[in-house]
Amino acid sequence: MTVTIYDVAREAGVSMATVSRVVNNNPNVKPQTRKKVFEAIERLGYRPNAVARGLASKKTTTVGVVIPDISNAIFAEVARGIEDIANMYHYNIILCNADKKKDKEIRVINTLLEKQVDGLLFMGGAVTEEHLQAFRTSNVPIVLCATTDEQGAIPSVDIDHEAAAFDAVSELIAKGHKSIAMISGTLQDPANGYARFQGYKRALDTAGIAYNEDLVRVGNYRYESGIEAMKYFLELADKPSAVFSATDEMAIGAIHCIQDYGLKVPSDISVISVDNSRMASMVRPQLTTVAQPMYDIGAVSMRLLTKLMKKESVEQSKVVLPHEVISRQSVVSV
């Protein structure tokens, strides 16, 4: 049978109120009494009922996190940043994988809110009107993590994805490349897709290079889609001298495809991307990429959420973190 606070109180010879004070670290308990209660807890194997405590305090000390793809190393790094700060402020995490599918994202959001979480961190793709409607029904704070909504109505932490893509393509242009292909994410994704595509186009326009739609393929962020996109580019009569990939994983697929065709990176084709995941330094040649501080995005998002949950003052509800180009061996001058 489940051991209750009443059983502990009877075993220790104290009131249930005293047991409650000990469990909740209330300092107004004599050391000798505290010792008796802890000994009774250990003998009986008592575990405090978090649900009951939550009902009493109207707080569950639990945060819901919606993650797009738990198998993606990039999002794992964000989740680590979230968890480290959550632990620091004594919050527990419920992590839910949503596969970047809108229906599943909204279902998971509603499920977490029904679980009475104290706050919600949302990582996903496009923040649609359906997402906003689900957020409006929430009576707890919500922070967008590694994404934003177009209206800027929801607090968020991210990088400037358009500027990151612009800097990546500008790096290729500075090396003398003029025929630059792009492996894009879905253009319905405002960050990894559309914003990075816009940064690619702006860099070309700034350099006076005409945009060529034949040099753009849309991938799904996965390694395999990088291979498929690169196959298409390699079959063109005029092959590009460089490729910009919206993500490291697709870029690595492109590198391997180039090598499978008997060509070399970067002497035949240069490759650059955005993310700076651990894989970027593990592939050969090592991948030149724009680093977005994924751990920091998670950590800052969680810290912002703790402030909102505790009703502390927030100077900036829309946080844009810096990015930087990390030069490695996959880009060469022409």
Side-chain angles (χ1 to χ4, degrees), residues 267-281:
S267 56
D268 291 312
I269 300 178
S270 290
V271 179
I272 195 170
S273 67
V274 178
D275 276 343
N276 196 37
S277 63
R278 289 184 67 241
M279 294 183 295
S281 58

Side-chain angles (χ1 to χ4, degrees), residues 168-244:
V169 179
S170 296
E171 178 77 5
L172 294 173
I173 293 168
K175 299 288 187 183
H177 293 278
K178 292 183 171 56
S179 178
I180 302 170
M182 178 180 184
I183 305 174
S184 173
T186 173
L187 299 184
Q188 282 70 47
D189 181 340
N192 293 354
Y194 186 72
R196 295 183 184 182
F197 172 66
Q198 289 298 107
Y200 163 77
K201 287 181 68 177
R202 181 165 71 89
L204 295 180
D205 184 63
T206 301
I209 300 172
Y211 168 70
N212 181 355
E213 64 180 14
D214 288 338
L215 292 181
V216 176
R217 301 299 283 178
V218 175
N220 64 1
Y221 309 106
R222 292 293 194 175
Y223 171 84
E224 292 78 11
S225 70
I227 292 175
E228 290 305 312
M230 198 65 232
K231 283 181 180 177
Y232 167 82
F233 295 138
L234 292 174
E235 296 295 333
L236 293 174
D238 294 319
K239 298 179 185 62
S241 67
V243 174
F244 163 58

Side-chain angles (χ1 to χ4, degrees), residues 2-12 14-24 37 41 44 46-49 53:
T2 302
V3 177
T4 67
I5 192 172
Y6 172 77
D7 298 322
V8 175
R10 186 174 58 185
E11 178 76 10
V14 299
S15 68
M16 287 191 291
T18 298
V19 176
S20 178
R21 283 194 288 270
V22 171
V23 167
N24 289 291
V37 171
I41 287 172
L44 297 176
Y46 171 69
R47 288 180 180 272
N49 188 322
R53 290 166 70 185

Side-chain angles (χ1 to χ4, degrees), residues 127-180:
V127 179
T128 66
E129 182 56 37
E130 290 93 331
H131 290 91
L132 293 174
Q133 182 58 38
F135 294 153
R136 290 188 195 106
T137 65
S138 169
N139 59 356
V140 299
I142 293 170
V143 172
L144 303 179
C145 180
T147 189
T148 57
D149 63 308
E150 289 184 2
Q151 296 81 13
I154 310 293
S156 63
V157 180
D158 205 356
I159 66 164
D160 186 333
H161 293 275
E162 195 265 359
F166 176 87
D167 289 347
V169 179
S170 296
E171 178 77 5
L172 294 173
I173 293 168
K175 299 288 187 183
H177 293 278
K178 292 183 171 56
S179 178
I180 302 170

Side-chain angles (χ1 to χ4, degrees), residues 32 36 56 68 78 107-108 112 123 130 134 155 167 172 178 188 219 222:
Q32 185 177 359
K36 282 201 308 182
V78 180
R107 184 169 71 250
V108 165
L112 288 170
M123 281 182 274
E130 290 93 331
D167 289 347
L172 294 173
K178 292 183 171 56
Q188 282 70 47
R222 292 293 194 175

